[in-house]
């Protein structure tokens, strides 16, 4: 917003007309308020309020023709800027993603044809391609949420519940942006301020084991390896891997969020902050800290045939922490925070 305001001011200062229009969200964050005029902190009433508004917002087709610039200013070629890394660490990304509008459109079509109907049951199964994988495309604006909204609405017949479940996820994206707008310090500080006193333990070795997928918990390790290779991780696995860091290893959510920020192809300040604060129990409508995922049970439930784990983990290592001990340690840390 600051950037756009500066651009508009600079253009207007030169006597040009400059307007901006919302395309990255369904609803501008300041237009959604609760009955007392305050921002929402709980998702369900937030989304109910959104759904009561006309959706999607007014839509304009792309102009049929844009006049080209008659006199181009001197410039460099993009390659001259040498933006690409010298070590091609992102090679795996190219196998999975097709950046740009065409790739985004194809991904949406694939999802509507092949996966939307089974979304409510398959969306939690990392071994199945059951979600839309639109997150990087949405982040970079290669397609907008209103476009997705309309496409889903128009193919809803016979699968209303599945479509609504999917649109609800777009609602979480809206909620994340709502929170970031109203509470702009949340990327650094917990929304629930008592968590500022949580006794985190910053430790290099377990953090390294987590980032490299060598914790000895196959679901966590599969997720961290998928992330490194493809820049993406399934939502269920993000929750389990993030929870492992903040609860089993007692490493702060900010350190985990920073790693995700560096490695995710869909890294998004609003969604990443919401995700980490949700997992760490310190955000809006968050999972309580005392509810601690058991990564073994999560794997048995959501990856019962180990299709996902087998894809990513070829060499298993011994667990770096014992689940029960880690659980007790985490609960003791929570109690220590409550006393402080
Ligand atoms: C710790 C953690 C960190 C996360 N970091 C990010 C991030 O940096 N960028 C990001 O886009 N998402 C993030 N998420 C949310 C979620 O995991 C991804 O949006 C989702 O996995 C993307 O896959 P998809 O497009 O196939 O999702 P689908 O299930 O197909 O959902 C469709 C779209 O809805 C939105 N969405 C879905 N789930 C969520 C959610 N929980 N919160 C906000 N928006 C959601 C995304 O834009 C997604 O593309 C994070 C979640 C956790 C638990």
């Amino acid at each position: 917003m600051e950037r756009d305001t500066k651009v508009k001011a600079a253009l207007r200062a030169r006597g040009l007309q400059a307007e901006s229009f919302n395309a990255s969200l369904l609803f501008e964050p300041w237009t959604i308020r609760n009955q007392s005029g305050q921002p929402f902190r709980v998702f369900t009433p937030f989304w109910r309020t959104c759904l009561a508004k006309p959706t999607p917002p007014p839509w304009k087709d792309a102009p049929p023709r844009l006049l080209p610039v008659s006199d181009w200013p001197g410039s460099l070629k993009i390659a001259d800027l040498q933006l690409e890394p010298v070590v091609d660490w992102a090679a795996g990304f190219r196998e999975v993603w097709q950046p740009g509008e065409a790739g985004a459109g194809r991904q949406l079509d694939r999802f509507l044809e092949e996966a939307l109907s089974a979304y409510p049951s398959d969306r939690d199964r990392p071994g199945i391609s059951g979600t839309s994988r639109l997150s990087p495309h949405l982040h970079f604006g290669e397609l907008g949420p209103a476009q997705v909204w309309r496409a889903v609405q128009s193919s809803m017949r016979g699968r209303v519940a599945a479509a609504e479940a999917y649109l609800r996820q777009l609602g979480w994206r809206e909620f994340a942006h709502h929170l970031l707008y109203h509470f702009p310090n949340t990327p650094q500080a917990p929304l629930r301020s008592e968590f500022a006193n949580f006794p985190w333990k910053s430790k290099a070795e377990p953090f390294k084991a987590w980032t490299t997928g060598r914790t000895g918990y196959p679901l966590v390790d599969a997720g961290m390896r998928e992330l490194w290779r493809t820049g993406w991780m399934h939502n269920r696995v993000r929750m389990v891997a993030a929870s492992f860091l903040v609860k089993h290893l007692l490493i702060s959510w900010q350190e985990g969020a920073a790693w995700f920020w560096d490695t995710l192809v869909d890294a998004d300040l609003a969604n990443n902050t919401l995700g980490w604060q949700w997992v760490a129990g310190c955000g809006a409508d968050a999972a309580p800290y005392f509810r601690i995922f058991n990564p073994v049970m999560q794997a048995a439930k959501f990856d019962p045939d180990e299709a996902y784990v087998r894809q990513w983990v070829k060499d298993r290592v011994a667990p770096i922490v014992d689940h029960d001990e880690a659980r007790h340690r985490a609960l003791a840390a929570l109690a220590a925070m409550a006393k402080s």
Side-chain angles (χ1 to χ4, degrees):
M1 286 172 68
E2 278 175 16
R3 180 203 56 203
D4 288 0
T5 306
K6 272 191 203 148
V7 170
K8 282 185 281 190
L11 290 170
R12 285 175 190 148
R14 292 179 176 207
L16 295 163
Q17 190 186 340
E19 307 286 341
S20 60
F21 300 90
N22 173 26
S24 56
L25 292 174
L26 293 168
F27 306 97
E28 297 281 26
W30 53 89
T31 64
I32 310 288
R33 300 249 170 204
N34 68 16
Q35 281 173 348
S36 14
Q38 299 301 313
F40 281 97
R41 286 167 176 249
V42 180
F43 173 73
T44 302
F46 166 83
W47 191 226
R48 208 182 306 123
T49 305
C50 292
L51 291 178
K53 297 207 162 239
T55 49
W59 165 282
K60 285 194 178 146
D61 286 328
R65 205 161 65 97
L66 281 175
L67 291 178
V69 177
S70 53
D71 188 15
W72 286 101
S75 182
L76 296 168
K77 290 201 175 68
I78 287 187
D80 296 339
L81 296 172
Q82 298 188 342
L83 297 170
E84 299 240 34
V86 182
V87 178
D88 190 13
W89 55 266
F93 290 20
R94 280 192 284 277
E95 293 164 14
V96 186
W97 302 103
Q98 191 197 348
E101 208 173 329
R106 258 198 289 282
Q107 192 64 18
L108 175 60
D109 292 345
R110 181 208 67 85
F111 174 68
L112 295 178
E113 269 167 41
E114 295 172 15
L116 175 60
S117 301
Y119 183 76
S121 55
D122 287 356
R123 61 178 290 260
D124 261 324
R125 298 280 304 274
I128 294 177
S129 199
T131 67
S132 70
R133 297 188 184 228
L134 284 177
S135 48
H137 301 295
L138 281 165
H139 172 76
F140 287 107
E142 296 167 358
L143 93 179
Q147 254 173 302
V148 178
W149 179 277
R150 288 193 163 209
V152 172
Q153 290 276 341
S154 61
S155 68
M156 222 165 165
R157 197 137 42 92
R159 47 181 182 174
V160 175
E164 281 175 358
Y166 181 72
L167 295 177
R168 197 176 157 83
Q169 294 313 117
L170 287 186
W172 275 98
R173 179 176 181 274
E174 296 288 314
F175 187 48
H177 287 77
H178 178 82
L179 292 170
L180 181 60
Y181 173 79
H182 290 289
F183 307 103
N185 62 343
T186 45
Q188 294 84 38
L191 185 71
R192 292 182 54 186
S193 54
E194 68 271 28
F195 272 84
N197 296 327
F198 195 91
W200 303 113
K201 298 190 189 333
S202 197
K203 283 177 290 181
E205 229 173 272
F207 185 70
K208 178 107 196 270
W210 181 76
T211 59
T212 51
R214 299 186 71 77
T215 67
Y217 286 88
L219 187 62
V220 175
D221 293 348
M224 298 308 291
R225 293 177 196 200
E226 178 183 30
L227 171 63
W228 183 250
R229 176 92 187 153
T230 69
W232 188 85
M233 196 198 294
H234 188 279
N235 182 60
R236 168 61 46 184
V237 191
R238 288 187 207 208
M239 292 195 290
V240 176
S243 166
F244 188 86
L245 187 79
V246 296
K247 297 182 184 177
H248 288 69
L249 301 182
L250 289 179
I251 295 177
S252 74
W253 62 270
Q254 289 98 328
E255 285 174 75
W259 181 258
F260 271 30
W261 183 254
D262 281 349
T263 49
L264 276 172
V265 79
D266 65 18
D268 182 281
L269 195 60
N271 291 356
N272 199 35
T273 303
L274 172 90
W276 278 95
Q277 290 208 3
W278 186 90
V279 166
C282 63
D285 213 354
Y289 187 91
F290 61 77
R291 221 172 271 156
I292 297 175
F293 281 137
N294 178 332
V296 176
M297 307 275 281
Q298 288 284 311
K301 187 165 176 196
F302 297 110
D303 188 33
D305 51 4
E306 296 202 330
Y308 178 70
V309 161
R310 272 188 282 111
Q311 184 184 354
W312 294 104
V313 183
K314 310 284 179 217
D315 54 326
R316 300 201 180 190
V317 294
I320 57 169
V321 283
D322 174 77
H323 170 71
D324 288 332
E325 279 171 24
R327 189 171 171 278
H328 285 119
R329 222 176 14 245
L331 294 175
L334 183 67
M337 176 191 92
K339 271 200 212 133
S340 69

